[in-house]
Amino acid sequence: MALEIRARHMWDGDAGWTGPVTVRVEGDRIRLVEKGAPTVPRERAGVLDFGEATILPGLVDMHTHLGINHRTGDMRAQMTDPPARHVAAGMHSLLADLESGVTTAKLNGDREFYDIQVRDAIRDGVARGPRLLVSGRGIKSSRCTGGVVATCIVDDVEAIGRCVDENLAAGADWIKLFSSGSVLGALADVLQPFYGTAQLAVAASKAHAAGKRMSSHCFGGEAADACIAAGVDVIDHGWLLTDRQLDAMGKRGTWLCPTVGVLTHPDGVLAHIPPGPAHDAAKRRRDEVCGVARKALGSGVPLLVGTDAMHGGLAYELETLQDLGGAPAALLRAATGNAAQALGLTGEIGAVREGAAADLLVVGGNALLDVSRLAGVLLVVQAGRIVKKG
Ligand SMILES: [Zn+2]
């Protein structure tokens, strides 16, 4: 079935356009992108004219998880939920992501390869959710104080290599290692590295040899230097990176996926810490992290965006980064064209371009000037099918 979508503004994945624009979808592909006055009669069935609105590619959440949700409480408990409940809750979360305009998501470590099974179920039309790229089991050291989602607990290089091999054999699209622990607590503890260059390099080289990529949960310190040196593709969080490290990432082309909203949102990490000294210390750490994010946004580091299991909250993440000084175009690019590049899916997703997958989002107003507009979803199309309207 053909569908025509019209609006006053468009973000094409790389650049903005203001003026009438028509996007024609046939089957699961974008067939036509027509700038200027439409040449096809507007009364035809299948034409959706949104007027003062913005057409964008479906967004990409580059850091989330299946079976945990920061909004709904204790993640440790969620990780030990019975399997059916864990996956059912995950499907509920992924639907919230899809209906918020996220048509592709990268899962960053989940239980027992459920993420691989869910990815395939969505691909086969058995379940609804964003197109998924998944990491299988997250890998962390036995000393690691964070990484509640990581279930491959290994310390030496050989054991890490075996975990990577098992994840790849099971069908993981990415490899995910935790090289830092928790962001809360004394700075020396937060910056304690749990893996060095040798451990990170074995994972990165195995992932790359298999044509896959690798991300690492890392806040800064020696672990960040090791990630950059080892050729890790994406540093997740990077909340305490120094100017020198940001500079090195920019030179090397290491992506940063900052996930700041999980610290600033009223339902995020801080909501689960009772009032008192620990809560006050967490607020100070949050403010410190916002300061680093502000610098990162002005540093030229290649940027991605993710919610870290604040499901349905990518618009909030983008708005938070905009408040920290991020330019709307840079943020929209992070959520579309950059993500497609990092995922190796340039031209297929993250673009309103003829021949690309018909994954589209329409939001009210001009999102080119203000990314908070992304919260006003008018239409979500996935593979040419309307999955949410109004
Ligand atoms: Zn995460």
Side-chain angles (χ1 to χ4, degrees), residues 215-255:
S215 70
S216 183
H217 165 110
C218 176
F219 295 128
E222 285 174 37
D225 293 328
C227 283
I228 299 163
V232 168
D233 300 284
V234 179
I235 289 186
D236 288 309
H237 317 305
W239 285 341
L240 296 166
L241 291 166
T242 62
D243 293 354
R244 177 185 60 76
Q245 288 168 332
L246 289 169
D247 189 50
M249 289 173 70
K251 289 199 174 101
R252 175 111 191 193
T254 310
W255 299 96

Side-chain angles (χ1 to χ4, degrees), residues 63-65 68 108 149 176 178 217 237 308-309:
H63 183 150
T64 191
H65 300 271
I68 59 167
N108 274 21
V149 295
K176 166 83 179 197
F178 291 72
H217 165 110
H237 317 305
D308 200 3

Side-chain angles (χ1 to χ4, degrees), residues 283-324:
K283 277 167 65 180
R284 287 195 295 276
R285 182 58 45 75
R286 173 201 63 194
D287 294 345
E288 199 178 344
V289 165
C290 286
V292 173
R294 190 180 285 280
K295 281 203 256 182
L297 289 163
S299 72
V301 168
L303 188 71
L304 302 167
V305 287
T307 60
D308 200 3
M310 289 291 292
H311 290 280
L314 196 62
Y316 175 81
E317 176 70 21
L318 288 160
E319 185 180 352
T320 303
L321 295 173
Q322 181 175 262
D323 290 346
L324 290 171

